[in-house]
Amino acid sequence: MSERTITLLDIFGPVMIGPSSSHTAGVARIAFMARKIFPYPLDRAKVSFHGSLAKTYKGHGSDKAAVAGLLGILPEDERLGYALELAEREGLSYEIVAVADGPERYHPNTAVIELWSGDKSIRIRGASIGGGEIRLQSVGGFEANLDGSLDAILVLHKDEIGVIAIVSHILAASRFNIASVASHRKDKGDEALLVVEVDGVVPSSIVAQIRDLPSVREVVYVPSIRA
Amino acid sequence: MNWKFSTVVELLDRAREAGLSLPAYLLARESFYSGKGEDELRAELARRIRVTKTALDRGIREPQRSFSSMTDGGAAKLAHGEAWPVEDELFRRALAYSLSINEVNACGGKVIAFPTAGSCGVAPGLLWAYRDARDPSLGPDSPRFQDAFVVASAVGMLIALRATLAGSAGGCQAECGAAAAMAAAGLAFLLGEEPEGCFDAAALSLKNCLGLACDPVAGLVEVPCAKRNAFMAANALTAVCLRRAGISSVIPFDEVVGAMKAIGDAMPAAIRESAEGGLAATPTGMSFRAKIQ
Ligand code: SF4
């Protein structure tokens, strides 16, 4: 994965509803991205707070922030303040859990989001690393390093030779600049997750071409959360 | 063009190689990464600067009272109080404005995390205070005022790159300490300092915050956070006064950031935003925790 760039508007931002960039804005962004990665009608959601978030989430409104993110509300939006009421109105079934002694290796501000829809489910682990910046460090059992700064294409595929090359070729043929490519797999010969970050917005017709590749199982397009 | 840097030395080299001023280089870089044109970026800067002003005005006009009652209209008192010991408009406004923005944040209002929400009052508070007390020609749409926010952001970027901006990782030196360094650089810029002078003011300010605990009472971003924004505005102002008098930091900015990182790494978790140590663990702190839970 390429070295992360920090930009001016990352530091002078985000525009947000208080009180905490890491515990309110960052959490809303993690949940928002989780929802983009798992864009199915939700039966149920579970948010587990670890570390400092576990201890202080109530006072920071991290619960509201997480629910807001799940509802597709970003930190800048005043609706974040009454996200719990909105969830009630929209019939979102969710659970918030504070985990007192989670794994040591987790970042001190970690939120784990689990989502269920029909027979599908996903577990996403995100770290809120300060100033509203986030990293999704685990997606559906794969290690990852997504920060939402660029649009990303997530390709779940059978771990076969050539997938990375073909996906890169499709994007290059349509003149998309690939900012980073990272391939994550659980076991050789099994499934792999390809994460491609691109400059600009890739149209759905190109995403469909990737989806149609024989060894591809699933493709999601995750737009940038950078304002 | 080369857009990579992780120290002031590299950053200033990059700008020089590009033949651009520091703010112009940073805007060009922003444009490169975001794909947005410079006009669009300047419009976004103006929009964000306006958000800081709206928050500032709100906290002074309407005393901010939080759910926990720990935030209780301090900025309004500071701005309008009669017994005022220091005869200086810039100083008084700096304290009131910085506190005001942060009280609005504590009460769930709209702010700009700069670099974080808990420290969001310091730099805008000081820069607006300078504008109101000394130079009314400045404003959200004036490029020079925008550039002051850009220079302040550069300080935050360098701290983020080599240390951290999260209280949970590095204590409050990483939030309010960073904010003070950013404010100092921004004000030094408005006073006509060259970039080296801006980063020197930032170094002076940051040195004075090293080791600062993050021990928010009941885990809320209120105590000590909100009032600390006012104190940090004064810290930044002091750094700029020293710099203007020709006093330099013995330890250069890049090394101060290295020290900040080492100190943050050595800090116990109890004073890194866990709300388990320091002020949060005092009898009064604990009673507020019990009250809100
Ligand atoms: S004390 Fe902690 S929560 Fe408060 S501003 Fe400082 S770093 Fe942020």
Side-chain angles (χ1 to χ4, degrees), chain B residues 118 167 171-172 175-176 213-216 221 224-225 228 273:
Chain B
C172 198
E175 297 201 7
C176 286
C214 168
D215 49 0
V221 191
C225 324
R228 181 167 290 159
E273 211 167 328

Side-chain angles (χ1 to χ4, degrees), chain A residues 20 60, chain B residues 102 116-119 165-168 171-177 212-216 219-226 228-229 271-273:
Chain A
S20 168
H60 287 127
Chain B
N102 214 259
T116 64
S119 58
L165 294 173
S168 57
C172 198
Q173 56 172 2
E175 297 201 7
C176 286
L212 200 57
C214 168
D215 49 0
L220 304 180
V221 191
E222 291 189 61
V223 176
C225 324
R228 181 167 290 159
N229 276 252
I271 51 167
R272 282 190 281 112
E273 211 167 328

Side-chain angles (χ1 to χ4, degrees), chain B residues 64 81 180 209 213 236 239 242 247:
Chain B
Q64 298 289 300
C209 312
L242 264 61
I247 302 169

Side-chain angles (χ1 to χ4, degrees), chain A residues 5-9 11-23 52 55-56 59-60 76 78 109 129-131 227, chain B residues 29-30 33 36 47-48 105 108-117 149 153 156-157 160 166 168 219-221 273-274 276:
Chain A
T5 47
I6 298 174
T7 72
L8 282 179
L9 293 178
I11 301 293
F12 190 36
V15 185
M16 59 165 282
I17 305 304
S20 168
S21 47
S22 53
H23 292 56
S52 161
K55 295 183 181 111
T56 66
H60 287 127
E76 172 163 358
E78 320 257 4
N109 263 335
I129 62 166
Chain B
R29 178 180 182 272
E30 193 77 6
Y33 282 121
K36 292 180 180 146
R47 179 178 86 92
R48 295 190 185 198
N105 174 64
K110 195 181 219 177
V111 295
I112 310 279
F114 195 39
T116 64
F149 283 83
S153 302
M157 281 159 97
S168 57
L220 304 180
V221 191
E273 211 167 328
S274 58
E276 287 180 331

